[in-house]
Amino acid sequence: MAASLSKAHDFIESIETRLSKNKWLIGNTIYMIDFWVGAFCCDQVVNPNNTEKEIKKWAGILEKCPNFKRYIDDFKVDNAVWLGQRESKPI
């Protein structure tokens, strides 16, 4: 788990600057990659059904990457209907 979290952190840091200039990964229009990354984030990073330990691990990364946190928040707002219909469960 630690290795995968480290790789995710590396990826998030690599897109942090890009997200300071754009709403989405490729620009200001949402593309398929945003759905892939956004779904991963909703499942893993900000899933309220995850354990407290898991949530705290991701919170530290989000604190260091405010543009990525904003990206997740935007994804959740723009996809609220879909997210509201998904089954709630921890990952």
Side-chain angles (χ1 to χ4, degrees):
M1 181 61 106
S4 63
L5 186 64
S6 176
K7 287 187 180 288
H9 185 246
D10 291 347
F11 169 72
I12 293 165
E13 283 189 331
S14 76
I15 62 173
E16 179 67 10
T17 301
R18 174 187 297 268
L19 291 173
S20 72
K21 301 171 188 168
N22 302 307
K23 180 174 182 177
W24 304 109
L25 289 171
I26 298 178
N28 292 315
T29 302
I30 195 168
Y31 285 94
M32 183 58 78
I33 187 66
D34 297 301
F35 288 102
W36 187 86
V37 173
F40 168 82
C41 291
C42 290
D43 290 344
Q44 298 285 332
V45 180
V46 294
N47 184 343
N49 298 300
N50 281 342
T51 65
E52 186 176 334
K53 180 180 176 184
E54 192 71 17
I55 291 169
K56 284 182 179 181
K57 284 194 284 188
W58 287 107
I61 292 173
L62 293 178
E63 189 175 306
K64 296 175 189 171
C65 300
N67 296 310
F68 187 72
K69 182 180 180 320
R70 188 256 327 138
Y71 172 82
I72 296 171
D73 292 342
D74 287 347
F75 182 84
K76 288 170 36 180
V77 168
D78 286 8
N79 293 281
V81 172
W82 171 69
L83 291 169
Q85 295 171 350
R86 296 186 335 155
E87 181 180 350
S88 294
K89 59 184 175 182
I91 296 293

